[in-house]
Amino acid sequence: MKVGSKIFGVAAVLVAGTTAVALYSLDRIAQLNREVVTIASYHAPLSRILSEVEIHARNRELAFYAPARGAAASPEDAGAAGKAVAAAMQRALDLARDGQQRAQSEDDRLKFAGLYPLFETVAAEYRELDAQLLAAGGRAGGADPVALALIGKEIADLNRALGEANSRLHRMTEASALAAAGHENAARRFNLGLTLLSGVAAVLLAFLLSRSLVGPLQRLVRATVDVRRGARDFELVIRSRDEIQVLAQAFRDMLLDLRAKERIREKLGKYIDPRIADRIVEHTGNAGSTGERQMMTVMFTDMQGFTSISESLLPTTLVKLLNRYLELMSAPVSANSGVIDKYIGDAVMAFWGPPFCDSQSQASRACATALTQIEALAQLRAELPEILGLRRGLPEIGARAGIATGDVIVGNIGSSVAQGYTVVGDTVNLASRLESLNKAYGTRVLVCETTWAGAQTDFEGREVDQIRVVGKDNPVRCYEILGRRGEVADGLLRMRDCFEQGLAAYRARRHADARAAFARALDALPGDACSRVFINRLDHLEREPMPADWDGVWQHTGK
């Protein structure tokens, strides 16, 4: 905003205040006028009508009880009075109905609607009185005591009905008068208050205007002195939007250029691996940032039974559990020089390879990470009662991992709107498929043949199967990581040896030998689900044998 615009703004505030006073006053005057019109157009005429009815009733009563007149009122006079009262009450109902239709508020409409039954009661009571008078012969002297008692009761009922109607109308008139006075007082208070406020605002805005010109210049001078003394880590705040802003913006651009890389690293480090942040900053604008082909190891880790667990927990509890799970799953990745690519619900995608770790150890590092993650689940299970607030019925928490090593495209991948430093390619898809296949084989960590070749010197494992997964034509040998070398129990190793014998017999179509070997594997490790899978598969093959040219590859149709 230019200096001239600021001055114009001060004047605009004053004009706005004056306009607000005028508009509010007009509104209040209009409301006051509506209350006065209501009193004059409805309340007063209705009061007159009720007075006319009361006069007619009194005249009929006097004519009945005044024998000095020497004659009773003629039927013609009584009939004329009755018609006059009926016409008057109809006018009253019409006025009440018109007032209800023209009322500005629901409260006023309800008040007018409340008059209907009162007016109808007055008309009915008058008709009853008129009928009793006519039945008594028009004079008190000609009526018996019972008739006189009935006439007295009708007179009392009519008086009561008139009193209720007049009382209701009086309260309505009083409320309208009070509302009119309230509108007048509100307009007076508002006008006085806003006038004072406009004056104070004008003085304050003038002060702020002068300060907005002098203050930014003083801060800019101090910042220039600080930069000359070598200071860099400070923020120059200039809130002015006038010509001084141009000078301040040039000063800020200078500071931003000096600190650009540090600020980018600091911000990116909160969302992605700091090593990726450094790499993005170093390669910004270079061809290397668009993607390059490299040999890398990719791992997917997934919580076992997450869907069923999530359905039984409250959202806040589920988030708490998921955050703790992902924390325990992420720590081993960083500890083994891996890079967390992304979180996909309860799944963790990570990768290893240059420049984040050397290519020779990437497979072993990934396998070590998977085993450490599974071991960390013991800590999560111990914390479940506190996390879930339960002591019984705790869910079974498990994890599965799939690891594949091969060529990937790594770099900044995405659109012009959003990008991410990630890896893509067939190897990534294979790692995801291997993670899912753990469910089919009852295993925990499945790796591809290339990963096993790079990690077998550090780990014990077994070949599980030769498979063809969805989306991949070439068969893949997959292996299960059983544990670190020197740390695997003898029973597990005996199971591994028996399983390998069974697998060799299975591929040679010696089903009886294969079944016996898998049974020995189960004897060595009764809980080995993978051996049970192959025994069930042998049962299936006996019912539906494979063709003679079968190459030993098992086709998986699910992802």
Side-chain angles (χ1 to χ4, degrees), residues 32 104 207 235 254 259 265 284 345 373 390 410 460 479 536 551:
L32 186 150
Q104 298 294 319
F207 169 75
E235 192 72 26
M254 178 186 67
R259 302 176 311 196
R265 287 190 179 97
T284 298
Q373 287 176 328
L390 299 173
V410 57
E460 297 285 357
Y479 297 77
N536 294 336
D551 57 1

Side-chain angles (χ1 to χ4, degrees), residues 419-488:
Q419 289 188 342
Y421 190 89
T422 186
V423 294
V424 296
D426 186 62
T427 301
V428 179
N429 297 331
L430 177 58
S432 177
R433 299 290 187 272
L434 290 173
E435 183 277 316
S436 298
L437 283 175
N438 280 290
K439 292 181 286 185
Y441 289 101
T443 53
R444 297 184 302 174
V445 182
L446 282 182
V447 304
C448 72
E449 187 173 9
T450 307
T451 302
W452 176 242
Q456 60 183 333
T457 57
D458 300 319
F459 298 91
E460 297 285 357
R462 63 171 168 176
E463 182 181 354
V464 172
D465 204 357
Q466 187 176 12
I467 59 175
R468 185 175 287 109
V469 297
V470 176
K472 195 172 175 62
D473 294 330
N474 296 327
V476 176
R477 290 184 184 271
C478 58
Y479 297 77
E480 181 186 12
I481 302 299
L482 299 176
R484 301 172 183 84
R485 284 196 178 272
E487 300 179 7
V488 179

Side-chain angles (χ1 to χ4, degrees), residues 273 275 332-340 350-352 356-357 365 369:
D273 192 289
R275 292 166 294 174
V333 176
S334 301
N336 286 284
S337 303
V339 176
I340 295 176
F351 60 84
W352 286 259
F356 308 108
C357 70
R365 290 178 183 273
T369 298

